[in-house]
């Protein structure tokens, strides 16, 4: 018998599919209502149904849950998929503001919440694509 305790996937630490669903809904509710998020909300379709569906599937897989996103979409290629949008510090900060609030609202485990936010902050920083922003174009998205 091994003395090693198998690590609990972040997906489970967060609360599974129910919490991922609530997180995404809370995130887009903030994007719809916060003045600071007006610019990034304008980058999205009026109807967020498909966008929410995709983010829920992505976050499920990204946090170690079932592989739902890659089966549908393949490799995330997040920077490539977002290159049509100018993403600078302001957009990054607005996205993170919405996500931090959503995490605080939906994730009870403070350590898990902080760990996920830290990984998302790195990812959001890496997504910047406006001129003058240094980033690693060969890098990979940080995982919690």
């Amino acid at each position: 018998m091994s003395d090693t305790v198998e690590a609990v996937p972040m997906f489970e630490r967060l609360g599974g599919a129910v919490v991922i669903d609530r997180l995404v809904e809370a995130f887009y509710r903030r994007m719809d209502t916060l003045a600071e998020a007006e610019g990034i909300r304008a980058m999205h379709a009026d109807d967020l149904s498909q966008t929410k569906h995709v983010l829920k599937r992505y976050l499920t897989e990204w946090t170690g849950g079932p592989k739902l996103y890659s089966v549908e979409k393949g490799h995330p290629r997040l920077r490539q998929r977002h290159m049509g949008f100018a993403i600078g510090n302001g957009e990054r900060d607005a996205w993170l503001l919405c996500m931090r609030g959503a995490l605080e609202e939906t994730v009870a485990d403070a350590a898990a919440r902080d760990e996920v936010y830290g990984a998302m902050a790195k990812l959001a920083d890496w997504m910047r694509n406006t001129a003058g922003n240094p980033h690693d174009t060969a890098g990979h998205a940080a995982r919690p």
Side-chain angles (χ1 to χ4, degrees):
M1 183 176 210
S2 171
D3 290 343
T4 305
V5 176
E6 190 172 325
V8 176
M10 182 58 71
F11 178 74
E12 291 177 26
R13 289 178 60 200
L14 293 174
V18 170
V19 172
I20 294 289
D21 184 65
R22 289 179 186 155
L23 174 66
V24 171
E25 293 297 327
F27 170 76
Y28 283 111
R29 187 171 49 254
R30 281 170 172 71
M31 192 183 288
D32 272 337
T33 59
L34 294 178
E36 299 91 335
E38 188 176 302
I40 60 171
R41 177 59 179 97
M43 296 176 178
H44 294 77
D46 290 341
D47 179 1
L48 292 171
S49 302
Q50 183 60 25
T51 303
K52 289 177 182 180
H53 172 79
V54 170
L55 184 57
K56 288 173 186 179
R57 294 173 87 73
Y58 174 77
L59 290 176
T60 294
E61 189 168 328
W62 186 69
T63 58
K67 294 193 180 303
L68 303 175
Y69 180 91
S70 59
V71 170
E72 238 178 59
K73 300 275 191 183
H75 189 281
R77 299 184 321 265
L78 293 179
R79 287 205 69 239
Q80 181 182 353
R81 292 180 193 269
H82 289 81
M83 280 307 225
F85 304 98
I87 301 172
N89 293 342
E91 291 77 17
R92 175 203 57 200
D93 294 348
W95 192 93
L96 287 171
L97 176 68
C98 293
M99 188 53 74
R100 177 169 291 287
L103 284 164
E104 288 172 357
E105 177 183 327
T106 61
V107 177
D109 181 332
R113 184 173 57 235
D114 290 346
E115 192 175 329
V116 167
Y117 181 79
M120 286 182 170
K122 288 178 186 174
L123 176 59
D125 198 48
W126 178 71
M127 293 295 290
R128 293 176 304 148
N129 60 24
T130 58
N133 286 322
H135 50 264
D136 176 8
T137 59
H140 299 283
R143 286 199 123 154

